[in-house]
Amino acid sequence: MTHHIYHRMTTVQPASHRTGTCHRALVALALLACSVFTLTSCSDWLDVQPTSEEREKDLFTSYKGYREALAGCYTAMADQNCYGRRLTMTDLEMLDCLWEEPSYQGTPYLIQFYNHNYTGDEARAAIKDIYAGLFNVIAQSNMIIKHLDADKTSISSEQARNIVSAEAHAIRAYCQLDVLRLFGQMPQHAERTVALPYAESVSLTQFPAYYGFDEYVKKLLADLDYAEGLLKQHDPVMKYTFGQLNGEETGVQPVDDDFLMYRQMRMNYWAVKGIKARLYLYIGDKAKAYAEAKQIIDATIDGQKVISLSGVDDIRNRYYALPSECLFALGNNKLLDYSINTIGGDASTSISPDRTVHVTPSMLDEQLYEGQNTSSNNRYLNVWERNTTDNANESYPTIKKYYYNPANVSDLNILRTKLQIMPLLRLSEIYLIAMECTPNLAEGNELYKTYMESHNVNVTTDFGSMEELQAEVVNEYRREFYGEGVMFYTDKRLGNSELFFAYGSMADDQYVLPLPATEFDPNLSTK
């Protein structure tokens, strides 16, 4: 599987805010070359521009080249400065104060994030890395779109050509949505407005256009609608289940093109529908969010569910990231190289509480799961590792979501599709969206019961009001997505003035990350 081949990438930062965007585009081109031409260093690429242009031209003359370029996008998304760590395990969760307040000596930028101090040197550097990571992916997807639009004959298969185009547009939208959720204004009742860049080209001479909130959202929806339309016609997930395309059900490959297998690990039709549900909820359009979520929940192929909640079976099999219910996940074969020291999960490995993000026993037992049926809840019992200790034998619960013991894995397909993954969109989130947005309390109660069955919890009492149900939905966001970078966006879209584990109030300035100083910022005069 091409998208499981990962290459190390180097990030070069722009020199000034006046030329930052131009430099960023140049850097992204260099990164693309490095990701697909592994025998050439980035510095060599920058030093020999005519040769690089020839390589770029050669790359986008065949389906194989587009496959490599698309794999480079997913590789860049899995980088630690992007969804491989910062936007899942550490930085986003620390912004929501979900981990215990860290030591300044161990991780100074994380304590700055915990306290929402975005002016510290360490925090500014981390923000710059996140921003560059997102726009690196965006630039690579734009490169694919540019060349495919210029020469549609470079991929002879109509199905393959349209899927490549759809995936590139969906990847761009996924990352641009997170630019909005991180750096954009509050989606409801903003005290100040923020304009942000929506990059649709790889020009070295032009800034990307900046858009206000509503126009930015229109750009997102245009990309997602375009991708959805193509995938509805051409994506194999319209004919086969994810399990079939993962080779799990029959052992026979159902499609001739192996690049169209393993659709959960790539942008697919149902992932795009899920991203739209996420976006609609974020902007407060609950009716449309509900409609998108229900289409996913109710979808069937030949009478069989396209995808189902997988908590019981996956956790029984020690697939703690719940890969079977992922609408979109990233392959990450470097996961164990850094995740144990970053997030823990292995009871046999002592952690450093200064550097490993964790909760305290009281945070887990007395706050996060207060009032819950913990006697059977498989998240509480199985996904949290309560036997993690430091060198002084003090207990620090850590999460096992990204941990597996390689000695116990002999099946390469299971390793790739169940264990070495970063979940970026799961069916559990879709259920919570449907619960929050349904206009019908009875339906909301039934959705909640089904959702909790996946936690191995039998619910016998209904919520008496929509307000009670929706309050519990927010609590479930917090419990369900630890280490996945979801809760900060939830608190931001709801405009919550307080975070669950933190003291002090939250306002626009705490929820809106500043653009890096190296970037052009049209908002400075309005702050």
Side-chain angles (χ1 to χ4, degrees):
M1 292 186 295
T2 306
H3 59 275
H4 284 293
I5 300 172
Y6 296 95
H7 309 293
R8 184 175 180 180
M9 294 193 169
T10 304
T11 300
V12 183
Q13 296 300 334
S16 70
H17 78 277
R18 291 293 180 187
T19 59
T21 304
C22 298
H23 277 263
R24 183 175 60 236
L26 179 61
V27 169
L29 296 179
L31 287 169
L32 177 60
C34 289
S35 70
V36 296
F37 296 111
T38 56
L39 298 180
T40 303
S41 71
C42 291
S43 60
D44 289 341
W45 190 91
L46 289 170
D47 290 341
V48 190
Q49 185 70 17
T51 305
S52 69
E53 291 174 354
E54 192 64 31
R55 288 173 183 158
E56 178 191 329
K57 179 181 176 182
D58 291 342
L59 179 68
F60 293 108
T61 57
S62 68
Y63 180 32
K64 179 178 182 293
Y66 278 98
R67 287 168 53 147
E68 291 176 347
L70 199 56
C73 288
Y74 294 114
T75 297
M77 292 183 80
D79 185 85
Q80 289 191 55
N81 282 331
C82 211
Y83 299 100
R85 180 175 59 85
R86 289 191 184 277
L87 295 178
T88 50
M89 300 181 190
T90 55
D91 300 30
L92 259 291
E93 305 299 64
M94 201 61 77
L95 285 173
D96 209 69
C97 302
L98 294 180
W99 301 120
E100 185 182 30
E101 185 173 5
S103 160
Y104 186 88
Q105 180 181 0
T107 49
Y109 88 92
L110 284 181
I111 196 170
Q112 290 168 10
F113 275 12
Y114 185 94
N115 292 305
H116 306 99
N117 167 21
Y118 307 131
T119 61
D121 290 343
E122 294 84 0
R124 289 163 67 94
I127 290 170
K128 185 168 65 173
D129 286 343
I130 292 169
Y131 190 87
L134 287 169
F135 274 99
N136 171 31
V137 179
I138 292 166
Q140 294 194 39
S141 63
N142 285 339
M143 178 72 77
I144 295 170
I145 294 167
K146 181 190 84 168
H147 282 277
L148 199 55
D149 286 347
D151 182 11
K152 291 182 170 57
T153 64
S154 54
I155 302 178
S156 59
S157 165
E158 180 185 8
Q159 181 186 32
R161 180 172 64 252
N162 283 297
I163 287 178
V164 168
S165 181
E167 287 191 37
H169 281 83
I171 289 168
R172 178 168 75 187
Y174 190 98
C175 293
Q176 290 278 184
L177 173 56
D178 283 351
V179 171
L180 178 69
R181 296 198 295 176
L182 279 171
F183 300 95
Q185 67 199 51
M186 302 288 286
Q188 308 294 330
H189 312 297
E191 293 179 4
R192 60 182 173 88
T193 59
V194 176
L196 293 171
Y198 201 98
E200 296 178 278
S201 72
V202 289
S203 171
L204 302 185
T205 59
Q206 294 180 339
F207 287 109
Y210 280 65
Y211 298 93
F213 189 88
D214 291 342
E215 292 302 313
Y216 192 103
V217 169
K218 288 180 182 178
K219 287 288 182 181
L220 286 170
L221 286 171
D223 271 347
L224 292 170
D225 286 344
Y226 176 84
E228 179 185 347
L230 292 181
L231 291 168
K232 187 174 184 178
Q233 297 179 62
H234 300 286
D235 197 333
V237 300
M238 307 309 292
K239 294 182 179 180
Y240 305 102
T241 66
F242 285 122
Q244 289 171 329
L245 291 168
N246 288 345
E248 297 170 6
E249 297 185 12
T250 64
V252 177
Q253 183 169 309
V255 293
D256 293 333
D257 184 352
D258 65 351
F259 200 60
L260 301 184
M261 294 284 285
Y262 303 97
R263 295 299 293 158
Q264 284 173 292
M265 313 300 286
R266 305 248 302 282
M267 282 294 182
N268 61 80
Y269 176 80
W270 298 111
V272 171
K273 300 290 281 184
I275 298 166
K276 290 179 73 174
R278 179 185 278 178
L279 171 59
Y280 281 130
L281 180 62
Y282 189 74
I283 65 175
D285 193 334
K286 288 191 172 183
K288 289 183 179 178
Y290 170 79
E292 298 289 348
K294 279 289 285 178
Q295 285 185 52
I296 298 168
I297 292 170
D298 295 340
T300 60
I301 294 175
D302 296 330
Q304 182 178 355
K305 282 275 191 181
V306 166
I307 190 167
S308 300
L309 293 168
S310 67
V312 172
D313 290 338
D314 272 355
I315 291 175
R316 182 188 299 121
N317 289 319
R318 300 180 183 178
Y319 308 152
Y320 298 121
L322 275 64
S324 302
E325 70 170 46
C326 284
L327 294 165
F328 174 48
L330 294 172
N332 186 347
N333 61 7
K334 302 296 183 184
L335 202 50
L336 280 190
D337 292 350
Y338 62 88
S339 65
I340 294 175
N341 290 330
T342 300
I343 203 169
D346 180 12
S348 66
T349 302
S350 295
I351 69 165
S352 167
D354 284 346
R355 298 182 181 277
T356 305
V357 293
H358 58 274
V359 298
T360 65
S362 63
M363 288 172 67
L364 182 65
D365 296 327
E366 299 170 21
Q367 294 175 275
L368 192 62
Y369 280 90
E370 181 184 10
Q372 294 297 297
N373 177 8
T374 55
S375 63
S376 66
N377 191 304
N378 55 24
R379 270 58 159 184
Y380 175 83
L381 294 173
N382 304 110
V383 179
W384 286 95
E385 179 53 74
R386 282 177 295 279
N387 294 318
T388 313
T389 58
D390 64 4
N391 290 331
N393 208 34
E394 186 172 350
S395 174
Y396 291 94
T398 61
I399 198 159
K400 296 191 285 187
K401 190 163 286 183
Y402 302 109
Y403 174 71
Y404 63 93
N405 186 341
N408 296 335
V409 184
S410 58
D411 188 318
L412 184 60
N413 199 51
I414 287 177
L415 185 68
R416 287 173 165 175
T417 63
K418 304 298 185 185
L419 298 171
Q420 293 179 337
I421 71 152
M422 309 287 303
L424 294 196
L425 182 59
R426 291 199 282 116
L427 188 61
S428 286
E429 181 178 349
I430 303 304
Y431 265 81
L432 292 174
I433 291 173
M435 280 182 250
E436 185 174 347
C437 298
T438 178
N440 186 298
L441 179 59
E443 181 187 40
N445 278 312
E446 288 305 309
L447 287 166
Y448 181 73
K449 289 175 183 176
T450 302
Y451 171 82
M452 290 307 295
E453 285 175 6
S454 176
H455 295 64
N456 202 35
V457 173
N458 182 32
V459 175
T460 58
T461 304
D462 288 343
F463 292 101
S465 68
M466 292 299 297
E467 290 73 21
E468 290 179 13
L469 172 61
Q470 291 176 2
E472 187 59 24
V473 165
V474 174
N475 290 333
E476 275 303 319
Y477 268 107
R478 186 178 301 109
R479 286 188 283 262
E480 180 70 20
F481 299 110
Y482 248 90
E484 295 181 47
V486 172
M487 193 61 206
F488 179 74
Y489 300 135
T490 303
D491 279 319
K492 182 173 179 175
R493 69 173 170 82
L494 293 172
N496 288 335
S497 60
E498 295 182 356
L499 301 180
F500 187 71
F501 287 122
Y503 297 100
S505 61
M506 293 286 289
D508 285 36
D509 286 344
Q510 286 72 49
Y511 277 119
V512 179
L513 270 64
L515 293 177
T518 50
E519 297 302 310
F520 172 67
D521 189 349
N523 309 296
L524 290 173
S525 61
T526 64
K527 292 180 182 179

